[in-house]
């Protein structure tokens, strides 16, 4: 793509210039025109995971990819959401996560992307709250019970040191 072309992402299609493409077709075109990597946002992180031929541990744990690197036919997918969040909290905001209680609001792909990095920071505990308790419980199960699940209504009276909005 030339520098003056604009990539606009809409809910179900990607527009390159004036032409609409599906996710895979748009990435294929981008690669064919010399693209060497891409950052991916919602709602395409799941499709990017499927598109990648190899995944980092973070991407596998999240089942989502926000960074693609192209090398011939090889496509490496990574998820840097959690690493970026933890770096921002600890380095830029100077918030120590170790020993802190953390509430993560939401139980979707963003939550799956940040939980591994939050766990590595060794907090006292992480609670994932969601409108659908089942989705929060799915996250709890996916991370081997290392996080707790809650509905929003069950949070009344609880206190947290850090709240992450992942909705």
């Amino acid at each position: 793509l030339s520098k003056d072309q604009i990539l606009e992402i809409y809910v179900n299609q990607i527009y390159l210039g004036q032409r609409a493409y599906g996710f895979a077709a748009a990435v294929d075109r981008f690669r064919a025109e010399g693209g060497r990597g891409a950052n991916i946002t919602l709602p395409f992180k799941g499709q990017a995971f499927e598109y990648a031929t190899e995944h980092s541990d973070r991407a596998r744990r999240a089942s989502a990819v926000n960074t693609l690197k192209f090398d011939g036919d090889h496509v490496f997918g990574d998820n840097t959401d959690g690493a970026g969040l933890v770096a921002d909290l600890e380095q830029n905001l100077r918030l120590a996560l170790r020993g802190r209680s953390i509430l993560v609001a939401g139980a979707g792909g963003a939550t799956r992307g940040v939980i591994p990095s939050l766990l590595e920071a060794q907090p006292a505990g992480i609670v994932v709250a969601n409108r659908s308790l089942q989705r929060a419980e799915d996250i709890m199960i996916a991370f081997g019970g290392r996080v707790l699940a809650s509905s929003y209504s069950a949070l009344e009276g609880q206190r947290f040191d850090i709240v992450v909005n992942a909705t």
Side-chain angles (χ1 to χ4, degrees):
L1 295 175
S2 66
K3 291 181 182 179
D4 60 339
Q5 285 182 301
I6 297 172
L7 173 74
E8 295 179 14
I9 300 178
Y10 291 94
V11 174
N12 292 315
Q13 297 179 355
I14 298 175
Y15 287 83
L16 296 171
Q18 297 298 314
R19 189 161 173 203
Y21 296 83
F23 178 81
V27 175
D28 287 344
R29 178 174 178 215
F30 179 68
R31 290 173 67 193
E33 294 184 7
R36 295 177 25 193
N39 286 347
I40 310 299
T41 62
L42 291 172
F44 299 108
K45 291 181 181 184
Q47 291 177 59
F49 182 83
E50 297 300 323
Y51 188 88
T53 59
E54 181 184 356
H55 305 94
S56 68
D57 288 338
R58 297 184 298 205
R60 273 192 297 281
R61 287 190 300 246
S63 299
V65 162
N66 72 344
T67 305
L68 292 172
K69 179 181 176 187
F70 313 129
D71 185 11
D73 290 338
H74 180 78
V75 180
F76 181 75
D78 193 10
N79 188 309
T80 61
D81 289 335
L85 173 66
V86 168
D88 192 41
L89 292 173
E90 292 188 329
Q91 295 169 14
N92 296 335
L93 297 178
R94 304 203 191 293
L95 290 174
L97 300 180
R98 183 182 202 130
R100 299 286 189 97
S101 61
I102 300 173
L103 170 65
V104 178
T111 298
R112 288 180 182 273
V114 301
I115 291 290
S117 295
L118 290 173
L119 286 169
E120 288 173 8
Q122 301 178 330
I126 299 173
V127 174
V128 174
N130 197 60
R131 286 179 292 160
S132 162
L133 179 58
Q134 182 61 54
R135 289 201 59 187
E137 289 172 340
D138 291 346
I139 298 281
M140 181 180 70
I141 292 165
F143 289 96
R146 296 177 61 202
V147 301
L148 300 176
S150 179
S151 65
Y152 288 119
S153 61
L155 295 174
E156 187 173 339
Q158 293 188 50
R159 298 183 61 100
F160 298 93
D161 299 312
I162 298 168
V163 177
V164 175
N165 183 355
T167 59

